[in-house]
Amino acid sequence: MRIIIIGCGRMGSGLAEVMQRRGHDVTVVDTQSAAFAALGSAFRGRTVLGNGLDRAVLVAADLERADGLASVTNSDEINIVVARLARTVFHVPRVVARVVEPHKAEIYERLGVRTIATTTWGIGRMANLLSRSDLNVVAPLGNEVELVEAEIRGGLAGRSVFHLTIPGEVQIVAITRGGKTFLPSMSTALQAGDIVQIAMVAASADRVKTLLG
């Protein structure tokens, strides 16, 4: 995929590294040439110097042929304008904008722009880590569902995945055993020391703890 990243700060350079590692063609745009130093010597993609609000700069970055764009500058306003341009003018299939101010995220979503509200995500993540020590929250999946990890203790050894399933609320999606991760079936037997990844409705945390003993 051809991915364009607007902004080469910590988030932009980190995202460029991850996307390149996954085999994508990456182009990074920034107004400061010095910012590209954060990409490191291993970066093999393109860099374009200029303002992401400038149509000529976006054309130079080959946005017309891009499969995805992420606007991650320090300005919410710039990010949303660039994202809207990418979606409505250049018809980029996948567009996401970084949003710092939480109240803006809902407004931008109504405009058809997918956002990552970093402040909201950080608050939620910290709250989960502080309040649920028995369950390691790996990631939120939307507003109501979470992906958590837990270790299987001896009392559950020999029980099946079915025993830890509540339809519509709790589902084991993966098991890590002996350093290898696999997708289980309902009949898969659990072993002591297994690390299970569970998709659950956030409100079911207490039920999950009970199931895990």
Side-chain angles (χ1 to χ4, degrees), residues 63-64 66 84-95:
L63 186 58
E64 294 168 309
R84 288 279 289 170
L85 281 172
R87 285 288 290 168
T88 61
V89 177
F90 291 88
H91 307 294
V92 179
R94 301 182 183 185
V95 176

Side-chain angles (χ1 to χ4, degrees), residues 59-81:
V59 171
D62 211 11
L63 186 58
E64 294 168 309
R65 299 174 61 232
D67 300 298
L69 174 139
S71 191
V72 293
T73 74
N74 291 327
S75 167
D76 288 355
E77 288 70 25
I78 290 176
N79 290 340
I80 191 60
V81 171

Side-chain angles (χ1 to χ4, degrees), residues 122-137 209:
I123 290 170
R125 176 68 169 146
M126 288 183 182
N128 287 332
L129 291 173
L130 289 170
S131 62
R132 296 181 186 165
S133 57
D134 293 337
L135 298 174
N136 177 27
V137 181
K209 290 179 183 180

Side-chain angles (χ1 to χ4, degrees), residues 19-72:
M19 297 306 286
Q20 178 177 267
R21 194 185 310 135
R22 293 183 179 181
H24 302 295
D25 295 326
V26 181
T27 298
V28 182
V29 178
D30 200 279
T31 58
Q32 303 293 324
S33 58
F36 298 132
L39 295 169
S41 58
F43 181 68
R44 300 183 301 276
R46 294 178 59 218
T47 58
V48 175
L49 182 63
N51 193 322
L53 294 174
D54 188 334
R55 181 187 175 97
V57 171
L58 297 177
V59 171
D62 211 11
L63 186 58
E64 294 168 309
R65 299 174 61 232
D67 300 298
L69 174 139
S71 191
V72 293

Side-chain angles (χ1 to χ4, degrees), residues 128 132 135 143-146 148 166 168-170 199-210:
N128 287 332
R132 296 181 186 165
L135 298 174
N143 295 325
E144 304 296 334
V145 178
E146 295 174 341
V148 302
I166 303 176
E169 290 187 50
V170 180
M200 69 173 195
V201 175
S204 300
D206 289 339
R207 298 188 70 179
V208 172
K209 290 179 183 180
T210 300

Side-chain angles (χ1 to χ4, degrees), residues 93-180:
R94 301 182 183 185
V95 176
V96 63
R98 174 194 184 190
V99 177
V100 177
E101 295 293 335
H103 70 276
K104 295 178 182 177
E106 184 177 349
I107 298 172
Y108 295 159
E109 293 281 353
R110 290 176 189 160
L111 294 175
V113 177
R114 299 190 66 180
T115 62
I116 298 297
T118 52
T119 301
T120 302
W121 184 90
I123 290 170
R125 176 68 169 146
M126 288 183 182
N128 287 332
L129 291 173
L130 289 170
S131 62
R132 296 181 186 165
S133 57
D134 293 337
L135 298 174
N136 177 27
V137 181
V138 177
L141 304 176
N143 295 325
E144 304 296 334
V145 178
E146 295 174 341
L147 183 66
V148 302
E149 281 187 344
E151 182 176 351
I152 297 299
R153 298 169 184 170
L156 287 174
R159 297 288 188 93
S160 68
V161 166
F162 178 79
H163 179 78
L164 292 182
T165 300
I166 303 176
E169 290 187 50
V170 180
Q171 176 69 56
I172 293 181
V173 295
I175 297 176
T176 300
R177 177 183 297 164
K180 295 182 179 180

